[in-house]
Amino acid sequence: MIKKFIRKILGVKDQRDATEPTILGPEEHGIDPKNVSSNAIRVTQTLQEAGFKAFVVGGAVRDLLLGVKPKDFDIATDATPEQVKKLFRRAFIIGRRFQIVHVMFGQDLLEVTTFRGNGSDNAPKDEHGRVLRDNSFGPQHEDAARRDFTINAMYYDPASQSVLDYHGGMEDIRAKLLRIIGMPEARYREDPVRMLRVVRFAAKLGFTIEPTTRAPIPVMAPLIDNVPAARVFDEMLKLLLSGHALACLKELRSAGLHHGLLPLLDVVLEQPIGMKFVTLALDSTDARVKAGKGVSPGFLFASLLWHQVLEKWTAYRAAGEAPIPALHLAADAVLETQTENLALQRRIATDMRDIWAMQPRFERRAGRAPYKLLEHPRFRAGYDFLLLRCASGELPAEVGEWWTEFYAAEGGDRERLVVEASTREREGGANGAPKKRRPRRGPRKSGGEGSPAPAAGGGEE
């Protein structure tokens, strides 16, 4: 006690024995057992009855300590993957880099991992020090040391309702501090994705990144280029679908990690219209995530990259390309750049193209054009995207209001709206701007004045 007090006065961090955990009882940690998944309890109980250790671990424990009901539950045990598989009817060993067991209960999936040992020194690595494959097992305290951050290195036993804390994670949770376990440079070199994870956790939880943990990130950020694009994309999706997407992107920029992930993001966020558009898109995404609604990755990335497409689209048109081919060229250029950095699945890229390609068509509200667009299988996504453009000031609000009314209307009301839009286009152009008259080439032939031809609806084709 006296030594601890002296260390505190001198500013020396208390040196704990990392092989012996601090054991916290229910009155100390405050976890509500009702927030623990019944299937997670079932898995730990089955393993314990078979003579193995078994705990809820990782983010689930962190969320339980914060009073949040976890979405996913991971289990850690001293049983090998083969031993785990034998105990459950629907269990599957997966993974090559790290072997884990997926245990299924209906649609509920739980990940069960065997305690990892300190075998990473001998594990295969690439030339930059990233661990390529490591399935060495070991005791629980070594497993705790292998985890990334102190707040993710605690173990909860539903049977005894106790928490095992090896690295002061509980203290860091109370202090709202994100601290990496071990030497930051070495841990980031082992797995550069940890730099993205610390940013995501900081933004999602509202925690501060401990200075020693944060310091190497700007210098070591280029190591992310050596990570398979699919892993980076998965981490970016988690970041953007965290319910705190805008905070994550700002933290990403602050930490110096955005370069190479979403190129030109700084330029987009520094433009008044671009900043408003991205903010509205991410706020909408966060609201849907928090409400438990689904979010389309295609829509999300189409929103983030739209102003890059818009810039190139304008440039191609200025160079003499027709509007629609110019838009397709702009989309191709942006997607080609992003594919080099993010493993955009073909389905997602197709959704993005569809959303972008629909935008000029929304400015055509005469004749059969609105009815045809309404039949597009991705109409709703394109319509929501249009509303973002109107809300950000990129397009007149009247365009979005008209489509909202047209979308909700039926039969005769839709016909009335189209007639009114056609009349406005003939009188003042698609967006109400005075319509330029074509210069007369010579005296008209007999046959009267005639009627002006209907406008193309926004001049985009």
Side-chain angles (χ1 to χ4, degrees), residues 375-405:
E375 295 172 358
H376 195 291
R378 298 287 297 156
F379 170 81
R380 181 64 204 221
Y383 163 73
D384 288 342
F385 197 87
L386 170 74
L387 296 185
L388 284 179
R389 296 177 68 203
C390 293
S392 70
E394 184 185 319
L395 289 178
E398 182 270 334
V399 178
E401 292 166 358
W402 187 91
W403 275 101
T404 298
E405 192 174 353

Side-chain angles (χ1 to χ4, degrees), residues 87-107:
L87 293 174
F88 300 95
R89 185 172 61 86
R90 296 183 64 202
F92 312 92
I93 298 175
I94 67 164
R96 186 170 56 183
R97 183 169 179 262
F98 293 118
Q99 274 195 341
I100 61 177
V101 182
H102 280 175
V103 179
M104 303 288 297
F105 296 98
Q107 296 299 312

Side-chain angles (χ1 to χ4, degrees), residues 81-278:
E82 291 77 13
Q83 289 170 327
V84 173
K85 187 177 186 299
K86 290 178 182 178
L87 293 174
F88 300 95
R89 185 172 61 86
R90 296 183 64 202
F92 312 92
I93 298 175
I94 67 164
R96 186 170 56 183
R97 183 169 179 262
F98 293 118
Q99 274 195 341
I100 61 177
V101 182
H102 280 175
V103 179
M104 303 288 297
F105 296 98
Q107 296 299 312
D108 192 12
L109 183 151
L110 289 89
E111 285 192 357
V112 182
T113 60
T114 304
F115 294 150
R116 306 289 171 184
N118 286 333
S120 59
D121 291 341
N122 299 320
K125 298 181 177 70
D126 66 13
E127 64 272 23
H128 304 284
R130 182 173 64 89
V131 175
L132 301 174
R133 188 171 60 258
D134 183 12
N135 287 305
S136 62
F137 306 134
Q140 188 174 6
H141 70 270
E142 291 187 6
D143 183 77
R146 291 286 305 276
R147 296 185 179 271
D148 48 12
F149 308 109
T150 60
I151 64 170
N152 291 340
M154 289 177 282
Y155 302 75
Y156 176 68
D157 180 6
S160 63
Q161 294 186 32
S162 59
V163 170
L164 277 62
D165 181 3
Y166 285 88
H167 295 279
M170 192 68 194
E171 295 173 13
D172 286 343
I173 280 183
R174 288 169 178 158
K176 294 189 174 182
L177 196 66
L178 268 169
R179 185 193 310 275
I180 202 164
I181 298 170
M183 295 296 293
E185 293 86 351
R187 301 310 305 278
Y188 293 146
R189 198 172 293 280
E190 286 174 359
D191 187 1
V193 168
R194 286 176 178 141
M195 291 185 278
L196 296 178
R197 284 168 59 81
V198 72
V199 166
R200 172 161 59 91
F201 290 140
K204 179 180 178 180
L205 303 174
F207 280 26
T208 300
I209 301 175
E210 187 265 334
T212 305
T213 300
R214 187 184 187 93
I217 292 177
V219 178
M220 303 189 75
L223 290 177
I224 293 176
D225 294 338
N226 305 315
V227 177
R231 276 200 75 208
V232 176
F233 182 73
D234 287 344
E235 193 60 37
M236 284 297 296
L237 267 187
K238 290 178 184 177
L239 187 146
L240 294 169
L241 300 179
S242 65
H244 304 270
L246 187 59
C248 282
L249 286 183
K250 288 180 177 178
E251 186 65 39
L252 202 69
R253 287 177 34 176
S254 174
L257 282 169
H258 57 290
H259 295 296
L261 298 176
L262 291 173
L264 305 181
L265 184 60
D266 278 327
V267 176
V268 171
L269 294 179
E270 286 168 5
Q271 295 174 355
I273 293 179
M275 177 62 182
K276 189 171 183 181
F277 182 87
V278 170

